[in-house]
């Protein structure tokens, strides 16, 4: 039987965290779900393969080390379901996550996203990073209609038929700005992106002060490219 939902997860050099993510995905309440893990040229490819092999619903796709945008494209191209969800290897979706996103899309939306929350509440840098990312997404939410214009790929789903027309832009080589670009092109094409509050993902970022600074610099560079691509004048 063909899967109802495919979940695509890009990963690189975090096999221990990936195993936790896979365990959360294996607890999803959607029975006919497949998990597509794209290993984006991890140094320890065997560890990634072992983590994937431990979950029967998961299968492995080898990426070329060209970044998460390219890895997500490789993932959805390998996916078999009519609905494709995306999350990251340091995330833990709640058991009803995929079902909640699928329900909103099957009810008529082209894409749906849920809230991503900090999974390490006692960690100041993880909390700060998640607060910034969540604000960027939730500031675009129309509370009357539930429509939004941006959602991070830590918590996102769409119709598979949308992706050939709106693939991820592989000119974004890092995890920075590629999700804003994708959402802008999605909404600009006339597709509907809606918010689903039940589709909760907990994000477990392991950040030092230096790591937080580097992350924000990377985001700034992604924002600069996004501005150059999408703003006129």
């Amino acid at each position: 039987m063909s899967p109802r939902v495919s979940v695509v997860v890009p990963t690189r050099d975090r096999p221990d965290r990936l195993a936790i993510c896979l365990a959360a995905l294996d607890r999803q309440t959607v029975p006919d779900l497949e998990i597509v893990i794209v290993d984006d040229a991890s140094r320890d490819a065997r560890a990634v393969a072992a983590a994937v092999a431990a979950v029967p619903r998961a299968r492995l796709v080898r990426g070329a080390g060209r970044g998460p945008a390219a890895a997500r494209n490789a993932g959805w191209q390998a996916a078999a379901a009519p609905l494709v969800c995306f999350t990251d290897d340091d995330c833990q979706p709640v058991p009803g996550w995929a079902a909640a996103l699928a329900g909103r899309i099957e009810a008529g939306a082209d894409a749906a996203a849920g809230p991503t929350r900090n999974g390490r509440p006692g960690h100041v840098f993880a909390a700060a990073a998640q607060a910034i990312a969540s604000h960027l997404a939730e500031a675009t939410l129309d509370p009357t209609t539930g429509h939004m214009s941006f959602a991070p790929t830590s918590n996102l789903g769409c119709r598979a038929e949308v992706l050939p027309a709106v693939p991820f832009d592989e000119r974004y080589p890092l995890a920075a700005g590629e999700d804003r670009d994708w959402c802008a092109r999605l909404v600009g094409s006339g597709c509907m992106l809606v918010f689903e509050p039940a589709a909760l993902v907990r994000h477990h970022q392991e950040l030092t002060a230096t790591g937080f600074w580097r992350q924000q610099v990377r985001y700034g560079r992604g924002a600069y490219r996004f501005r150059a691509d999408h703003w006129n004048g």
Side-chain angles (χ1 to χ4, degrees):
M1 181 172 60
S2 298
R4 175 189 176 198
V5 177
S6 297
V7 180
V8 172
V9 184
T11 189
R12 182 168 182 169
D13 294 330
R14 294 194 288 205
D16 293 342
R17 178 50 61 187
L18 173 64
I20 296 171
C21 175
L22 279 164
L25 293 175
D26 201 37
R27 292 192 292 268
Q28 293 299 301
T29 57
V30 175
D32 43 349
L33 175 142
E34 73 164 353
I35 305 164
V36 181
I37 303 299
V38 184
D39 181 8
D40 198 30
S42 291
R43 289 186 294 265
D44 189 350
R46 289 185 179 181
V48 173
V52 175
V55 178
R57 290 200 280 183
R59 57 192 177 92
L60 182 64
V61 173
R62 296 290 185 188
R66 294 189 292 116
R72 292 189 192 101
N73 284 340
W76 66 255
Q77 288 165 3
L83 304 177
V84 180
C85 295
F86 298 95
T87 192
D88 295 328
D89 63 359
D90 59 352
C91 290
Q92 288 179 266
V94 300
W97 169 73
L101 291 181
R104 288 304 300 270
I105 295 168
E106 289 170 344
D110 299 294
T116 300
R117 297 290 180 250
N118 176 32
R120 304 183 68 197
H123 195 284
V124 63
F125 298 117
Q130 192 59 58
I132 293 167
S134 295
H135 172 73
L136 289 173
E138 291 170 10
T140 74
L141 175 62
D142 183 333
T144 302
T145 64
H147 294 185
M148 59 196 314
S149 58
F150 167 63
T153 42
S154 58
N155 190 342
L156 185 63
C158 69
R159 299 182 189 277
E161 64 193 31
V162 167
L163 289 160
V166 190
F168 290 93
D169 188 339
E170 297 179 14
R171 295 178 304 149
Y172 289 78
L174 303 174
E178 84 288 1
D179 45 6
R180 290 182 68 191
D181 169 80
W182 186 84
C183 289
R185 288 185 291 112
L186 176 84
V187 174
S189 72
C191 290
M192 183 194 307
L193 173 61
V194 301
F195 183 68
E196 173 47 64
L200 174 65
V201 165
R202 295 188 176 89
H203 195 183
H204 294 259
Q205 299 184 82
E206 297 179 0
L207 292 171
T208 62
T210 300
F212 174 77
W213 178 78
R214 289 175 176 168
Q215 179 194 67
Q216 298 307 309
V217 169
R218 187 175 75 243
Y219 286 171
R221 289 173 177 166
Y224 180 84
R225 178 182 287 274
F226 175 82
R227 181 187 178 99
D229 287 344
H230 293 277
W231 290 25
N232 295 318

